[in-house]
Amino acid sequence: MSFLSYLVSGISLGSIYALIALGYTMVYGIAKMLNFAHGDVIMVGAYAIYTICITWGLPPLVGVLGSIVICAVLGVVIEKVAYKPLRKASSLAVLITAIGVSYLLQNAALLIFKSDTKSFTSVVNIPSLDLFDNQLHIQGETIATIVVSVIIMIALNLFINKTKPGRAMLAVSEDKGAAQLMGINVNSTISLTFLIGSALAAVAGALLCSSYPALSPTTGAMPGIKAFTAAVFGGIGSIPGAMIGGVLLGVIENLSKGYISTQFSDAIVFGVLIIILLFKPTGLLGKKINEKV
Amino acid sequence: MAMLEIKDLEVCYGVIRAIKGISFEVNQGEVIALIGANGAGKTTILHTITGLIPAKSGSIMFEEKDLLKTPPHKIVGMGMAHVPEGRRVFQNLSVLENLKLGAYTRKDKAEISESLKMVYERFPRLEERKNQVAGTLSGGEQQMLAMGRALMSKPRIILMDEPSMGLSPLLVSEIFDIIRVISESGTTVLLVEQNAKKALSIADRAYVLETGNIKLSGKASDLINDESVRKAYLGE
Ligand SMILES: Nc1ncnc2c1ncn2[C@@H]1O[C@H](COP(=O)(O)OP(=O)(O)O)[C@@H](O)[C@H]1O
Ligand SMILES: [Mg+2]
């Protein structure tokens, strides 16, 4: 039974990585940049919930919705202020800016909330599940994480493949100029992508801190890096790739923790990534980049 | 007044002046050819008209509206479509999805499906391949898709940048036949070509571009017999 239990919590952790990885991969697809501040948006979202629910005592749903709105706005503002002026700059300049934004967010949190770890109260209140004569115990948070993630991924797929703004996102990520010739507003499509990615980060933050209830200004850093790894693992720029990469990463991490070593689980995760990239440099579902003639 | 009127247009890439103050016009219903050697500035002009690159100075009036003051993504909705150099179809999307993106700014579903029928009639091969991913089409088919996609916006004027580039002579003739049909159906055409002979054979008037300046202009039938044009552009 312990295998099943590791597997289930691995899928749950992996779903959180997947939600974060979606933000990385969508932004990469459309803006061709690695938004290293993305992980810190999770942290901002979690502090938003902490403030709304614990400091102000409002109900969890209000906290989650408030956090989504705050992160969505933050994502759009970051793009407008920090990245948009650099659209024609070298990718190194953009990368350094993204790292700068990441530090800015962490230090702003440090200033406002101080460095001590806050204990987060779960926003999930569904009962846990006991299966197989109480041998398999599944937390309510785990169930909520998996269910919410599946719903979000289905909704995102429908949005991208069935709606006009979704198609516009695909068109812009392939060829901005051609998309503009179709009448697509490239700037607002990029804003929309940041908005969606950051809103997903807020949800990921709520789920993450509900399962692992310790909140500090660097809370977003490690899951951010792991989710970035998941996005690369699945093939950066690919939406299904981010979903699969995220879940796989969570499962590998949890199984390594369970069967090999808690200390080395991260090393194992990154080791697997390196091996995969050696054999398939574009990641699991990554496309070869088409050379333009 | 002309449908499209370009006045004293100057375009720069950094310090390089690619277009050095040119003026020309396109009247309703005409086929205008813009010919010139590689690097003369033909693509730059089309890109400036549809807002892909900014102008340094001058004006571009389309049906009395200044395109240089129009947000670029609004231009196609005003009735101007651009078939860009190199086709630039969306490689990862299907033929049908590409065509639907051509109608992105249009709202009326019934009218859009009418346009789709018209495009399929003009390019039967696109209908056969409507669910195929555009990146797997041949060069000629991608050109047809780029043209079909532009027609999906129901343009009053269509700008085409080297539609014959890289195609076999047979396909080139097919593409030019289609351009003639598009023109006969009432759409104004601004055609950029290195294949001057073909372009002059279907154009009403033409402008000859040389390193950012208009060197010659006139009726296509006159230019095709012009000594200097024959020497420089028709390879005679
Ligand atoms: N993105 C660019 N950056 C710098 N120079 C450019 C760029 N695009 C074109 N040019 C230059 O502008 C001139 C005109 O190019 P272009 O408009 O592409 O010519 P054509 O379409 O007639 O072949 C050329 O000298 C070319 O080198
Ligand atoms: Mg050109």
Side-chain angles (χ1 to χ4, degrees), chain B residues 38 42-43 85 161-162 192:
Chain B
N38 195 10
K42 306 180 296 295
T43 299
E85 185 176 67
D161 198 340
E162 308 223 28
V192 155

Side-chain angles (χ1 to χ4, degrees), chain B residues 2 36 57 69 102 107 131 144 163 176 189 194 206 224 230:
Chain B
S57 61
K69 296 199 177 90
K107 302 253 154 28
N131 294 318
M144 292 177 190
F176 274 91
V189 176
Q194 270 193 68
I224 210 163
R230 292 184 82 93

